[in-house]
Amino acid sequence: MRVALVYDLRDDYRALGFSEEEVAEFDNVDTIDQLDGALRALGCEVDRVGRGQVLAARLAAGMRFDLVFSIAEGVKGRSREAQVPALCELFDQPYLLSDPLTSAVCHDKAVAKRLVRAAGVPTPAFMVAASDASELRGWSEFPAFVKPIAEGTGKGCESASVVHTPEELASAGTKLLQRYRQPVLVETYLPGREFTVGIVGNGRDATVLGVCEILLKEDAEANVYSLRNKELCEELVIYARADDGEAWAAARQALAAYQALECRDAARIDFRSNAFGEPYFLEANPLAGLHPHHSDLPILAAQNGVTYVELIGMILDAGLARYGLARDGLKRTGKEQERRRA
């Protein structure tokens, strides 16, 4: 089975003059090496394509793959994570993970929150400023948390994101609007435990891999799973397997959110609890990081007895099943598909 590996490499963009913050969502070569190795261990032939533009050129030239496995984040626009999936659909190229609609919806935190709220999943009250912090003047719930509407890896999330007065909110909102040139979201700050939930599979076959609690060490940036804390997670963060009632309440809500957002193959869903131990949806990550020791999804999988190669195999099998295929590349018969659905 020939798998095209598509990704944005930090070193490539550094060479183009991108800042460290601008490349924060992209991958290091070690991640690509590890993913390549896992796919080969599963019997795949791996073609390291690289950026989405390279994939576009190859597809336009008539090249095809059995599957595209893209972890490319994209560079510009709130729908940038949808670019490679859309490209694959344009050329009728099978691919893993969520489709363009889900990828775009989840990257816009406000849109995702509206959809999961409509499905009955609790999420903190929120408001959006599209172009000026004055649009947040009606906000009255403090403390509150302010962040860019379409960033990942904790970009724009820092201690100053927790605000306690309208003046602090206006100041933080103005700075983020200027810094990221995109709308800003304010939501009620939740003081409780923070969880991330890993899910694999599709439809009614989707299952929770496990729940991980995010605990910040004394030297970490306080009160927020920030860009700095994520980049230095080995030094600043404790990832603790969570298996109590509050954690599994988050897991149940995460599965409901996963299905409401129509995520595919695998995703990570983030929650934080209020002062009463009730988990609330924060955001969904249908393009979760996949470094075996640095990324949340593989970490929580390992905490629950799923090795890195097994995790990649589960993602691969879930995607293949959507196309009626097995890992040997042969189409399943109708009876085989029925047995899988049973």
Side-chain angles (χ1 to χ4, degrees), residues 257-315:
Y258 184 93
Q259 292 169 336
L261 294 166
E262 299 184 12
C263 296
R264 299 195 319 198
D265 302 345
R268 209 191 72 243
I269 316 290
D270 298 339
F271 280 77
R272 190 156 179 152
S273 294
N274 63 12
F276 304 101
E278 299 166 330
Y280 281 68
F281 171 89
L282 295 180
E283 59 185 79
N285 302 274
L287 199 60
L290 287 175
H291 188 281
H293 311 300
H294 186 79
S295 299
D296 296 5
L297 181 60
I299 288 172
L300 72 83
Q303 290 174 343
N304 289 275
V306 178
T307 69
Y308 183 68
V309 172
E310 287 171 339
L311 171 63
I312 301 306
M314 293 169 77
I315 296 170

Side-chain angles (χ1 to χ4, degrees), residues 4 6 36 68 85 111 155 168 187 238 241 245 248 259 276 309:
V6 182
D36 183 322
V68 167
V111 175
K155 290 170 66 174
E168 289 182 1
E187 62 186 357
I238 297 171
R241 183 175 182 270
W248 283 101
Q259 292 169 336
F276 304 101
V309 172

Side-chain angles (χ1 to χ4, degrees), residues 110-126:
V111 175
K113 283 162 70 72
R114 291 184 188 108
L115 287 173
V116 300
R117 183 176 62 185
V121 177
T123 189
F126 67 97

